[in-house]
Amino acid sequence: MEAIRKQATRLREQVAKQQQAVLKQFGAGGYGGSDSMINDEAELQQHQKLEKLYISTRAGKHFQKDIVRGAEGYIVTGSKQVEIGTKLSEDSRKYGSENTCTSGSTLTKAALSYGRAWAQIEKERGNLLKALGTQVAEPLRAMVTGAPLEEARHLAQRYDRMRQEAESQAIEVSKRQAKVRDSPGNAENATKLEAAEAKLQDLKSNVAVLGKEAAASMSAVEAQQQRLTLQRLITMVEAERTYHKRVLHILEQLEAEMMSERQRIEAPPGPSLDNMSAPPSYEEANGIYASHMQNGSADRMSYFLGEVTHPYQAESDVELNLSIGDYVVVRKVTNNGWAEGECKGKAGWFPFGYVERRERILASKMAEVF
């Protein structure tokens, strides 16, 4: 009995050592199975490639989910901002159209301009939110839940399960080999070893085929995943850029309108027209009264350039509208304070005190005179 126990102990130790050797050779790891199988370098590289692809596509999938969540959150927040901005726009336009302030219409004009501009801004924001939904969130969501990615991952998992089965079969072959070595003449053990080795060979062949198929499928999905995600990020950037450019243009126009109105009401009053008579008649303009006032004298004058220093709103068809900074070709000046000239292709009368004589004019302004 003692001899039998010693022999059984030796057999157990041999089996344990063989199992440890196999496990040490094949090792455990990977995305669902071991890190290598059988002494096959090509298969090991295939397994490592699939493991990297599995990790890469999983990370890409999570990143796509992050983008979708971000876009959807932006849409929810932006929709609330659109509601608030639209309400402000409506309130501003309502004040501008209904206000009857007795001290002037400056604020009503500003309110109308502000309301109109803000309505345009909210329209642009709505376009941005629509683009984020239809051109970013929806395509990425479709790929995250789509069949190609799931099918490729299931194929990789099938490969991994078959690989584990092959590793278990390799351990079984090792056990059979030990029994054959311990009982050289046992035909039954030899037969079982041959069957185990044949099964292992079939499994190895199937693993190699399935591994190539899974790697090709995962590689295609990874490439599509990378390409689509990059395209959607670029779309987000372009949509944001377009939105901000258009909003900036709207705000610049609004600021120009409001600043112009403020400058108009804050500008010092122009020369008084209270004591001026109406523009001279044709006969007066072409008679003895057409002169240029210099040092109190009424001498005949030649044409000269004048720069508008105060705005003037024409009150009849024979008068000129003037804006600060305009240049006028002054042709006649009368003793009663009126001048006749040409500005921006139009001729007419205007108060001479609203312009100042200039000896030169910028080339960029020359086209505005005629």
Side-chain angles (χ1 to χ4, degrees):
M1 291 295 294
E2 184 66 26
I4 294 174
R5 281 198 296 271
K6 288 181 179 180
Q7 185 177 5
T9 300
R10 285 197 300 272
L11 287 173
R12 284 196 297 271
E13 290 175 351
Q14 281 181 340
V15 171
K17 288 179 181 178
Q18 289 170 353
Q19 289 177 339
Q20 290 175 357
V22 171
L23 291 174
K24 183 177 180 181
Q25 178 182 355
F26 303 140
Y31 52 89
S34 63
D35 191 40
S36 62
M37 183 200 75
I38 317 305
N39 238 344
D40 190 334
E41 185 65 25
E43 200 286 326
L44 176 60
Q45 291 177 358
Q46 185 84 323
H47 174 71
Q48 292 173 341
K49 178 181 179 180
L50 262 173
E51 185 177 40
K52 291 177 181 179
L53 284 168
Y54 196 91
I55 294 172
S56 171
T57 53
R58 181 177 58 191
K61 179 179 179 179
H62 289 324
F63 182 45
Q64 288 178 331
K65 287 183 177 179
D66 291 339
I67 296 174
V68 171
R69 279 195 297 267
E72 290 176 342
Y74 195 107
I75 291 170
V76 172
T77 305
S79 298
K80 185 63 177 177
Q81 291 176 327
V82 169
E83 292 179 10
I84 296 171
T86 301
K87 182 64 168 61
L88 176 59
S89 169
E90 292 172 353
D91 293 341
S92 298
R93 285 184 287 184
K94 181 179 178 181
Y95 176 85
S97 60
E98 297 180 359
N99 179 55
T100 56
C101 180
T102 59
S103 60
S105 60
T106 299
L107 181 56
T108 59
K109 291 180 180 178
L112 285 171
S113 297
Y114 186 86
R116 183 176 61 254
W118 216 255
Q120 293 175 338
I121 289 174
E122 296 312 328
K123 181 179 179 181
E124 294 298 337
R125 195 196 303 271
N127 292 338
L128 170 62
L129 299 180
K130 183 178 179 181
L132 291 180
T134 60
Q135 300 178 29
V136 177
E138 290 180 9
L140 290 179
R141 191 186 300 110
M143 185 167 190
V144 167
T145 59
L149 175 61
E150 289 307 309
E151 289 175 358
R153 291 166 68 85
H154 289 160
L155 200 60
Q157 290 165 356
R158 274 183 57 201
Y159 159 81
D160 189 62
R161 288 193 296 269
M162 185 175 290
R163 195 170 188 278
Q164 292 180 48
E165 185 180 353
E167 289 170 351
S168 298
Q169 186 63 24
I171 295 174
E172 178 67 20
V173 168
S174 179
K175 291 178 181 179
R176 297 293 177 189
Q177 289 173 342
K179 289 183 179 181
V180 168
R181 283 196 300 271
D182 292 340
S183 305
N186 192 320
E188 182 181 357
N189 287 344
T191 301
K192 290 182 178 180
L193 174 60
E194 289 178 2
E197 289 177 338
K199 183 178 179 181
L200 176 60
Q201 198 60 37
D202 288 341
L203 285 171
K204 287 175 62 178
S205 177
N206 292 336
V207 165
V209 173
L210 187 59
K212 291 179 180 179
E213 185 179 349
S217 179
M218 291 287 284
S219 296
V221 168
E222 182 193 50
Q224 183 187 13
Q225 192 181 59
Q226 295 283 309
R227 183 173 60 255
L228 178 64
T229 305
L230 177 59
Q231 289 173 346
R232 296 312 97 194
L233 285 176
I234 293 173
T235 299
M236 287 182 69
V237 172
E238 290 176 343
E240 284 275 3
R241 181 173 176 269
T242 300
Y243 164 71
H244 289 295
K245 282 180 66 177
R246 290 178 177 172
V247 168
L248 178 61
H249 178 67
I250 293 170
L251 291 175
E252 285 177 343
Q253 285 186 323
L254 174 61
E255 182 186 33
E257 291 177 12
M258 299 178 78
M259 291 298 293
S260 176
E261 183 65 17
R262 189 176 75 173
Q263 290 173 359
R264 186 186 68 79
I265 63 174
E266 293 180 354
S272 176
L273 300 177
D274 294 342
N275 299 324
M276 289 182 61
S277 59
S281 64
Y282 179 82
E283 292 77 10
E284 292 176 322
N286 292 279
I288 60 171
Y289 300 109
S291 61
H292 177 44
M293 301 297 294
Q294 282 186 333
N295 299 323
S297 63
D299 298 326
R300 284 286 188 178
M301 59 157 287
S302 59
Y303 291 8
F304 68 92
L305 286 173
E307 182 179 356
V308 178
T309 55
H310 300 282
Y312 178 70
Q313 185 68 36
E315 296 181 0
S316 68
D317 293 340
V318 299
E319 298 178 23
L320 272 181
N321 287 319
L322 300 179
S323 299
I324 295 176
D326 287 348
Y327 282 88
V328 184
V329 177
V330 181
R331 297 187 293 208
K332 296 177 183 178
V333 179
T334 65
N335 292 333
N336 61 2
W338 288 89
E340 191 273 338
E342 184 176 350
C343 179
K344 297 181 179 179
K346 294 183 179 180
W349 293 93
F350 55 89
F352 182 58
Y354 280 50
V355 301
E356 290 183 2
R357 183 167 182 156
R358 294 288 183 261
E359 298 298 329
R360 63 181 62 184
I361 181 173
L362 295 174
S364 59
K365 293 286 186 178
M366 185 63 71
E368 298 179 4
V369 179
F370 300 100

